[in-house]
């Protein structure tokens, strides 16, 4: 029944040619890029080379996640908001797949850039629409634990896919649109010298403004740590790293909103303790710790904080008149995805009765900051069919707070920059070496990945990252 409904939905949204193209592109794994590759490509590549890579890579990423959408429970796929979302993705896939056989003439390049802008606009409300679809399901059907776990697993992968696709589109548009700013130090969306303290203060100021709108007050901030470092010339300069400032801002803004609300609601308004921020930079990580005295969170609730649609605040309207301070239950899960996108992380340490520490990690070395991408294969498919495991506290993957095992995830990731780097891919704990890819040509990518091995894992082949027909289980999308 499930497959029949899915097939009927897709047939309504896509013609036979598009369906065949979707199946074709879904055979390939996405090619992860590092921040170093994004930057090198942005400095040296031509618009034609970017077109050559993206006209294949974006359809691959779209097709992988579109195939995975079809594994969701049939009831969810019939929700009005999910049907709207599927229609957006089908249109975008059709719009972009027509470029696969086109040569990069000036007219084609201009049309491609315009199409990317159209897709960006069409997908503006994807996060809210998917959230609305899940709410529609929960309001009209009983959702058991297994279904809920499948949805949570999918949402992490779906939103990470969206972040990565938007990253690719933003880079191309910012670099090559007709009125592109050629005088900026930024390379597309990436700032090679993103000043960490400046982004922190901007996020804090805007979160404080929002807090004051709701509570007529907001806590102060204290920033300490390695705010300045010594550069190659021996001068002290503000701590910076190569990173997309909008990503860091998103994470900081969400964390400050949470800390402010907790602080204001647990203290007398005339005696609000400040929010303390610690910044540190090491050889491998830049770390930011946000500490509040907002009363903390009990351990049995902590694990739910990264659960979509879970919030300790009342849920606001999906179409509010003003920006809500909290309540949707998407702030923390999405912030963690932004942190993990370039192999960083976001963790919470809460002290019930006192306060909470949120720690954000970002890679110091650009060659280590590789995209973390979901891929569609046997391993990911199994996650939607697996039963909820029985609690066993002796298993290392068992979560003490909830009695639930950590889920394995099929991901596409390349450890670029070292010939003996290990890539942790899928729940099979397989490792493989990967060497630096060349981002300065039209085949730029982070790794050529083979699909569907017998153990359900993912293999990563080193060398120049491209859709390579020589790699097991993969073949290049045709140029003609």
């Amino acid at each position: 029944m499930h497959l029949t409904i899915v097939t009927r939905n897709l047939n309504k949204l896509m013609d036979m040619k598009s369906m065949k193209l979707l199946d074709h592109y879904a055979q390939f794994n996405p090619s992860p890029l590092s921040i170093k590759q994004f930057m090198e490509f942005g400095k040296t590549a031509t618009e034609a080379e970017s077109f050559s890579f993206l006209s294949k890579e974006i359809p691959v990423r779209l097709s992988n996640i579109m195939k995975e959408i079809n594994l969701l429970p049939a009831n969810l796929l019939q929700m009005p908001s999910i049907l709207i979302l599927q229609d957006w993705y089908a249109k975008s896939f059709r719009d972009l797949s027509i470029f696969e056989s086109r040569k990069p003439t000036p007219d084609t390049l201009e049309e491609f850039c315009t199409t990317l802008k159209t897709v960006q606009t069409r997908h503006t409300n994807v996060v809210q629409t998917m959230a609305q679809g899940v709410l529609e399901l929960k309001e009209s059907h009983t959702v058991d634990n297994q279904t809920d776990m499948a949805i949570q697993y999918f949402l992490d992968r779906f939103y990470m896919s969206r972040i990565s696709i938007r990253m690719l589109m933003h880079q191309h548009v910012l670099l090559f649109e007709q009125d592109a700013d050629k005088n900026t130090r930024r390379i597309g969306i990436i700032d090679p010298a993103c000043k960490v303290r400046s982004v922190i203060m901007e996020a804090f100021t805007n979160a404080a403004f929002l807090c004051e709108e709701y509570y007529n007050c907001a806590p102060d901030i204290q920033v300490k740590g390695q705010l300045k470092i010594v550069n190659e010339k021996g001068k002290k300069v503000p701590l910076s790293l190569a990173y997309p400032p909008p990503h860091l801002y998103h994470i900081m803004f969400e964390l400050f909103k949470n800390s402010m609300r907790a602080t204001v609601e647990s203290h007398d308004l005339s005696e609000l303790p400040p929010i303390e921020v610690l910044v540190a930079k090491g050889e491998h990580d830049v770390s930011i710790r946000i500490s509040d005295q907002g009363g903390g969170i009990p351990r049995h609730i902590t694990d739910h904080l990264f659960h979509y649609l879970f919030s300790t605040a009342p849920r606001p309207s999906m179409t509010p008149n003003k920006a809500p301070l909290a309540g949707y239950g998407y702030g923390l899960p999405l912030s963690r995805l932004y942190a993990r996108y370039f192999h960083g992380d976001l963790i919470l340490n809460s002290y019930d009765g006192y306060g909470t520490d949120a720690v954000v990690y970002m890679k110091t070395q650009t060659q280590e900051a590789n995209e973390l991408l979901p891929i569609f294969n046997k391993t990911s498919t199994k996650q939607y069919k697996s039963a909820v495991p029985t609690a066993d506290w002796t298993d290392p993957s068992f979560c003490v707070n909830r009695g639930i095992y950590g889920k394995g995830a099929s991901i596409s990731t390349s450890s670029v920059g070292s010939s003996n780097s290990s890539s942790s891919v899928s729940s099979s704990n397989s490792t493989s070496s990967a060497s630096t890819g060349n981002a300065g040509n039209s085949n730029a990518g982070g790794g050529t990945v083979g699909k569907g091995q017998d153990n359900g894992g993912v293999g990563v082949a080193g060398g120049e990252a491209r859709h390579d027909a020589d790699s097991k289980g993969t073949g290049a999308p045709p140029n003609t």
Side-chain angles (χ1 to χ4, degrees), residues 6 32 408:
V6 170

Side-chain angles (χ1 to χ4, degrees), residues 294-344:
I297 305 162
R299 280 194 302 153
H300 70 277
I301 293 177
T302 303
D303 197 49
H304 290 279
L305 294 177
F306 292 105
H307 194 284
Y308 291 95
L309 296 175
F310 176 85
S311 177
T312 56
R315 178 169 292 130
S317 166
M318 294 300 288
T319 55
N321 294 323
K322 63 177 181 178
L325 187 64
Y328 288 130
Y330 268 63
L332 279 176
L334 285 178
S335 295
R336 185 168 68 174
L337 290 186
Y338 274 106
R340 289 180 171 179
Y341 174 50
F342 280 120
H343 268 69

Side-chain angles (χ1 to χ4, degrees), residues 387-462:
V388 179
T390 304
D392 178 5
W393 65 270
T394 60
D395 190 307
S397 65
F398 174 74
C399 177
V400 174
N401 293 342
R402 291 178 61 195
I404 293 178
Y405 289 87
K407 274 184 169 289
S410 284
I411 57 172
S412 179
T413 172
S414 66
S415 297
V416 183
S418 172
S419 60
N420 62 355
S421 301
S422 66
S423 296
S424 178
V425 285
S426 86
S427 56
S428 60
N429 296 323
S430 59
T431 59
S432 62
S433 63
S435 59
T436 304
N438 180 6
N441 59 37
S442 60
N443 291 327
T448 304
V449 186
K451 275 197 181 182
Q453 275 112 1
D454 292 339
N455 63 359
V458 184
V460 180

Side-chain angles (χ1 to χ4, degrees), residues 1-71:
M1 178 63 179
H2 180 271
L3 290 176
T4 304
I5 292 174
V6 170
T7 304
R8 188 162 64 241
N9 284 351
L10 287 177
N11 285 339
K12 288 180 181 178
L13 299 172
M14 304 178 75
D15 56 34
M16 189 57 66
K17 181 181 178 182
S18 297
M19 287 284 288
K20 288 182 178 179
L21 272 176
L22 183 72
D23 291 337
H24 172 70
Y25 278 111
Q27 298 175 73
F28 309 105
N29 287 342
S31 297
L33 296 167
S34 66
I35 287 181
K36 179 179 181 180
Q37 289 174 309
F38 271 115
M39 291 170 61
E40 289 178 349
F41 194 85
K43 290 177 183 176
T44 62
T46 64
E47 184 176 2
E49 289 173 326
S50 181
F51 166 83
S52 179
F53 176 65
L54 294 186
S55 61
K56 298 177 180 63
E57 181 65 14
I58 295 178
V60 166
R61 296 191 185 193
L62 282 173
S63 62
N64 268 253
I65 202 63
M66 288 172 73
K67 282 286 189 178
E68 200 151 324
I69 290 175
N70 296 336
L71 297 176

Side-chain angles (χ1 to χ4, degrees), residues 210-413:
L210 198 58
C211 185
E212 287 170 357
E213 273 201 323
Y214 279 84
Y215 299 106
N216 296 316
C217 64
D220 290 328
I221 185 174
Q222 290 181 356
V223 185
K224 58 184 180 180
Q226 294 172 268
L227 302 179
K228 291 194 174 183
I229 57 173
V230 179
N231 65 9
E232 299 84 3
K233 298 179 180 179
K235 293 183 178 181
K236 281 192 173 183
V237 295
L239 187 151
S240 64
L241 80 163
Y243 205 75
H247 290 193
L248 179 57
Y249 174 86
H250 179 100
I251 298 166
M252 292 291 104
F253 182 64
E254 290 297 332
L255 294 179
F256 280 133
K257 284 197 302 178
N258 289 344
S259 289
M260 288 178 184
R261 184 176 72 88
T263 300
V264 171
E265 292 184 354
S266 60
H267 289 273
D268 187 289
L269 300 186
S270 62
E271 298 178 353
L272 293 179
I275 293 172
E276 297 180 358
V277 179
L278 173 68
V279 181
K281 184 175 184 178
E283 181 182 353
H284 297 287
D285 293 303
V286 171
S287 308
I288 304 172
R289 186 188 70 200
I290 297 177
S291 303
D292 67 56
Q293 296 178 41
I297 305 162
R299 280 194 302 153
H300 70 277
I301 293 177
T302 303
D303 197 49
H304 290 279
L305 294 177
F306 292 105
H307 194 284
Y308 291 95
L309 296 175
F310 176 85
S311 177
T312 56
R315 178 169 292 130
S317 166
M318 294 300 288
T319 55
N321 294 323
K322 63 177 181 178
L325 187 64
Y328 288 130
Y330 268 63
L332 279 176
L334 285 178
S335 295
R336 185 168 68 174
L337 290 186
Y338 274 106
R340 289 180 171 179
Y341 174 50
F342 280 120
H343 268 69
D345 207 354
L346 166 59
I347 63 171
L348 293 181
N349 294 310
S350 195
Y351 317 100
D352 190 17
Y354 182 77
T356 301
D357 289 349
V359 187
V360 179
Y361 297 102
M362 298 168 289
K363 287 291 186 182
T364 302
Q365 305 295 329
T366 56
Q367 70 271 17
E368 293 180 0
N370 304 295
E371 290 183 291
L372 187 68
L373 305 176
I375 61 171
F376 173 75
N377 70 354
K378 291 179 181 178
T379 303
S380 60
T381 302
K382 289 177 183 177
Q383 295 295 336
Y384 296 94
K385 300 175 181 177
S386 61
V388 179
T390 304
D392 178 5
W393 65 270
T394 60
D395 190 307
S397 65
F398 174 74
C399 177
V400 174
N401 293 342
R402 291 178 61 195
I404 293 178
Y405 289 87
K407 274 184 169 289
S410 284
I411 57 172
S412 179
T413 172

